[in-house]
Amino acid sequence: MARMKFLCDAERCIECNGCVTACKQENEVPWGVNRRRVVTINDGVPGEKSISVACMHCSDAPCMAVCPTDVFYRTEQGVVLHDKDLCIGCGYCFYACPFGAPQFPQEGAFGMRGKMDKCTFCAGGPEKDFSKEEFTKYGSNRLAQGKLPACAEMCATKALLAGDADTVADIFRQRVVKRGKGSEVWGWGTAYGKPDNPKAQPPQGGKS
Amino acid sequence: MRTTGRVLVAGIAMLAVGIVSGCGERSQVVEYKQGKYQGKTDSNPWDSAPGASLYTTSKWTGGDKASWESAIRTRSQGQNEYNRTE
């Protein structure tokens, strides 16, 4: 197994926000915190594209690099997680993340930053599996139940794919070949590395 | 009489050591090491046996990484409707 990844197919996403709702419900995420959200490019313009964004569980995660208290760790499956007990809520990870994944609950009378909260790929955190502490701090641990993240499994159009990168890539490749378009995944270069030929242009007259 | 005295002295000495060690100072802050994860260790998802949680449908052997990966791979293919419909 390679590593766990998300992939959002902009050709299929219909901006229903089902993934956002599924994540909120599954992990009982507090008000004001969105581990996942849907971003629409050219909203209202014909041909608009929507994409579901959360933590991309980067291979070289900037949040890990900037954290002054080193709360981040990467699991064997490539999922980037963090220990909330050590988080000081400084917000460096928020500024470093290109996807806006780290979220901070507004706590206290003066809206002080709480401990950072982000997508866990439904893998819980550094607490005993299925314990109350794990669920309260990090949410559901679906991976330990042999399940995939709730957002992807709930996606009605299967625009949002999750799982082993090889498997996800196979599914997406088959999809692109069948429909004959839409292979240019938004954010691919950032999440998976730069293409072999960065000067390559999409085919003229392509529909995607 | 002499033996009783020795036992008493030894007991008092042990008690004194216990009391003094209770006054020892322990570090109250986390000592950070640059670039290394400082938090608690996490368990692997395949450590728990299927059925440890309610509504678990995937089947694997508890502690067996390969079988868990196989279960996840099978589950992942559920996202491919071309496989489900053809």
Side-chain angles (χ1 to χ4, degrees):
Chain A
M1 185 170 273
R3 50 181 52 232
M4 294 295 182
K5 287 292 179 191
F6 283 120
L7 175 62
C8 186
D9 186 351
E11 291 288 321
R12 287 193 176 207
C13 182
I14 56 171
E15 201 191 352
C16 71
N17 277 281
C19 49
V20 178
T21 312
C23 175
K24 278 266 191 185
Q25 191 273 335
E26 179 74 24
N27 299 300
E28 295 185 11
V29 181
W31 179 258
V33 174
N34 279 314
R35 291 184 176 183
R36 176 169 287 285
R37 62 212 172 280
V38 177
V39 176
T40 304
I41 312 292
N42 298 329
D43 197 4
V45 179
E48 66 175 31
K49 289 279 167 62
S50 297
I51 189 166
S52 178
V53 185
C55 174
M56 296 293 278
H57 301 279
C58 305
S59 302
D60 185 9
C63 54
M64 291 180 87
V66 299
C67 181
T69 52
D70 290 321
V71 304
F72 292 94
Y73 65 102
R74 188 181 288 106
T75 69
E76 214 173 304
Q77 305 84 49
V79 180
V80 176
L81 298 174
H82 69 297
D83 187 342
K84 280 193 178 180
D85 292 349
L86 298 178
C87 179
I88 57 174
C90 68
Y92 275 21
C93 51
F94 177 77
Y95 297 120
C97 178
F99 302 102
Q103 303 278 302
F104 292 88
Q106 299 292 306
E107 290 177 352
F110 301 101
M112 289 169 63
R113 281 199 195 106
K115 292 177 184 294
M116 190 274 278
D117 189 269
K118 75 171 193 71
C119 160
T120 63
F121 208 88
C122 284
E127 296 286 350
K128 190 176 183 300
D129 284 353
F130 313 126
S131 64
K132 190 183 173 189
E133 288 76 25
E134 185 185 51
F135 185 78
T136 307
K137 290 179 189 172
Y138 308 103
S140 186
N141 191 346
R142 291 172 61 91
L143 280 191
Q145 298 171 30
K147 298 174 183 173
L148 294 168
C151 52
E153 293 211 335
M154 286 288 286
C155 182
T157 60
K158 288 286 165 271
L160 184 62
L161 300 170
D164 178 36
D166 290 341
T167 311
V168 167
D170 284 344
I171 295 171
F172 187 69
R173 189 182 304 112
Q174 187 183 359
R175 199 180 273 184
V176 169
V177 168
K178 288 261 186 187
R179 71 187 175 201
K181 63 166 187 165
S183 61
E184 306 85 10
V185 183
W186 190 75
W188 182 274
T190 307
Y192 298 96
K194 298 282 182 270
D196 295 334
N197 182 7
K199 291 180 181 175
Q201 295 294 318
Q204 294 297 316
K207 290 179 182 175
S208 64
Chain B
M1 188 66 189
R2 190 179 283 177
T3 312
T4 313
R6 280 178 183 170
V7 169
L8 194 66
V9 168
I12 290 169
M14 285 176 67
L15 189 68
V17 167
I19 290 169
V20 170
S21 66
C23 299
E25 193 171 348
R26 194 175 291 175
S27 178
Q28 300 286 309
V29 295
V30 179
E31 293 173 13
Y32 299 113
K33 291 174 189 169
Q34 187 62 32
K36 288 184 178 173
Y37 173 58
Q38 300 293 319
K40 287 176 257 184
T41 51
D42 197 3
S43 56
N44 291 312
W46 52 83
D47 288 343
S48 56
S53 175
L54 205 60
Y55 308 124
T56 302
T57 51
S58 300
K59 301 283 179 236
W60 75 94
T61 311
D64 184 7
K65 182 184 173 188
S67 66
W68 178 83
E69 287 181 347
S70 177
I72 284 287
R73 209 170 286 126
T74 307
R75 183 117 177 168
S76 301
Q77 281 299 335
Q79 299 175 107
N80 189 354
E81 65 283 284
Y82 291 117
N83 280 1
R84 287 172 20 209
T85 53
E86 288 175 2

